[in-house]
């Protein structure tokens, strides 16, 4: 199956700093990528849909100025959590849409802990 | 009311048992139904994908959709310890993986050897 990677897998940062998370589709091109957030014992919640070459579409309640998304190429999307606070601590997961199989493939996730 | 409801468990069964996992939903527009398996600290992986009502079987896994009751199920036969994971149901109103998926909270399954 198609492979999606995320980097870093785990990050711990101080409150007020910014953190960038990368999502890469390793063996296919993805026009569309998605960013999810998963709090403990809760469901994956879609944060935004990232389209290559255009602005991301954010879900209701997600601050676009706080969660900056860039999808500059067909294999890379980045999520930057700006001025992170402890309440932003969560598991961030990306997925990439593969046109061939019409399927979303998920990355392994990034555990963000804000102190 | 959440759009998708799923019992979080945990569900503990002995090896070899038949496992039944379920989700209910409220949005009658949902047409596409998926089951994902998520191991601890990993991203979800797609297990089953079904459209509209009916059954679909793949090896030890069977997915059922009853749109009239807004109820979907995943059955695992001859469960193995390696099946221990969180199982997430997901659904969408439109076809294609570019469409928004709504996930259940996931059911934590533990298969005891």
């Amino acid at each position: 199956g198609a492979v999606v990677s995320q980097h870093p897998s785990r990050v711990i940062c101080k409150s007020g700093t910014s953190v960038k998370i990368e999502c890469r589709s390793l063996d296919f091109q993805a026009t569309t990528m998605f960013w999810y957030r998963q709090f403990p014992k809760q469901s994956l919640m879609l944060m935004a849909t990232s389209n290559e070459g255009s602005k991301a579409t954010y879900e209701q309640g997600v601050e676009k100025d706080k969660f900056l998304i860039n999808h500059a190429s067909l294999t890379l999307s980045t999520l930057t959590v700006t001025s992170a606070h402890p309440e932003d601590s969560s598991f961030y997961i990306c997925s990439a849409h593969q046109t061939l199989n019409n399927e979303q493939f998920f990355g392994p996730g990034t555990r963000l802990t804000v102190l | 009311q959440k759009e998708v409801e799923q019992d979080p468990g945990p569900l503990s069964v002995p090896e070899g048992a038949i496992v039944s996992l379920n989700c209910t939903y409220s949005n009658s527009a949902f047409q596409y139904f998926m089951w994902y398996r998520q191991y601890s600290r990993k991203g979800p992986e797609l297990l089953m994908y079904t459209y509209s009502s009916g059954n679909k079987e793949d090896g030890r896994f069977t997915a059922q959709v009853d749109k009239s009751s807004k109820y979907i199920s995943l059955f695992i036969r001859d469960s193995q310890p390696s099946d221990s994971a969180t199982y997430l149901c997901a659904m969408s109103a439109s076809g294609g993986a570019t469409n928004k998926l709504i996930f259940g909270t996931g059911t934590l399954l533990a298969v005891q050897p």
Side-chain angles (χ1 to χ4, degrees):
Chain A
V3 180
V4 175
S5 70
Q6 278 185 245
H7 178 78
S9 59
R10 184 179 300 182
V11 58
I12 301 172
C13 69
K14 292 182 179 179
S15 184
T17 60
S18 294
V19 175
K20 179 186 282 189
I21 303 170
E22 293 185 349
C23 176
R24 292 182 185 273
S25 55
L26 297 186
D27 50 3
F28 67 99
Q29 294 183 329
T31 305
T32 305
M33 291 185 175
F34 302 87
W35 287 96
Y36 295 83
R37 182 167 50 183
Q38 186 178 33
F39 291 106
K41 300 187 186 299
Q42 294 189 27
S43 180
L44 274 77
M45 296 297 295
L46 180 65
M47 298 175 67
T49 302
S50 170
N51 294 295
E52 188 267 339
S54 64
K55 291 183 179 180
T57 303
Y58 290 81
E59 294 300 303
Q60 191 174 9
V62 178
E63 300 175 58
K64 63 179 181 180
D65 294 331
K66 181 172 181 62
F67 298 98
L68 301 179
I69 291 173
N70 184 278
H71 193 158
S73 79
L74 289 172
T75 59
L76 173 65
S77 176
T78 60
L79 169 68
T80 301
V81 183
T82 62
S83 186
H85 291 285
E87 58 266 30
D88 298 322
S89 299
S90 187
F91 194 49
Y92 291 86
I93 304 176
C94 72
S95 70
H97 174 244
Q98 186 194 52
T99 306
L100 180 64
N101 293 326
N102 198 22
E103 183 178 336
Q104 281 190 43
F105 291 93
F106 285 82
T110 297
R111 175 78 55 189
L112 171 64
T113 302
V114 185
L115 302 176
Chain B
Q1 182 188 8
K2 291 181 182 178
E3 280 193 284
V4 179
E5 298 275 2
Q6 185 175 8
D7 186 338
L11 178 62
S12 182
V13 301
E15 183 175 355
I18 296 174
V19 176
S20 173
L21 304 165
N22 312 293
C23 287
T24 59
Y25 62 95
S26 58
N27 189 344
S28 58
F30 289 143
Q31 298 276 357
Y32 299 85
F33 305 90
M34 288 135 281
W35 284 96
Y36 287 85
R37 178 173 61 196
Q38 184 178 22
Y39 292 110
S40 180
R41 303 178 189 277
K42 301 292 184 183
E45 57 176 326
L46 181 65
L47 279 177
M48 301 287 282
Y49 179 96
T50 53
Y51 168 69
S52 194
S53 286
N55 295 358
K56 185 174 183 179
E57 187 173 320
D58 184 2
R60 295 186 295 113
F61 299 90
T62 300
Q64 287 186 351
V65 175
D66 182 349
K67 288 190 66 182
S68 63
S69 302
K70 297 190 179 66
Y71 188 88
I72 70 171
S73 301
L74 177 71
F75 297 96
I76 307 175
R77 290 183 298 280
D78 187 25
S79 56
Q80 303 295 311
S82 58
D83 295 327
S84 298
T86 296
Y87 289 81
L88 299 146
C89 63
M91 41 201 83
S92 67
S94 302
T98 56
N99 293 288
K100 179 178 175 179
L101 297 179
I102 308 298
F103 283 85
T105 54
T107 299
L108 178 61
L109 171 67
V111 180
Q112 307 298 332

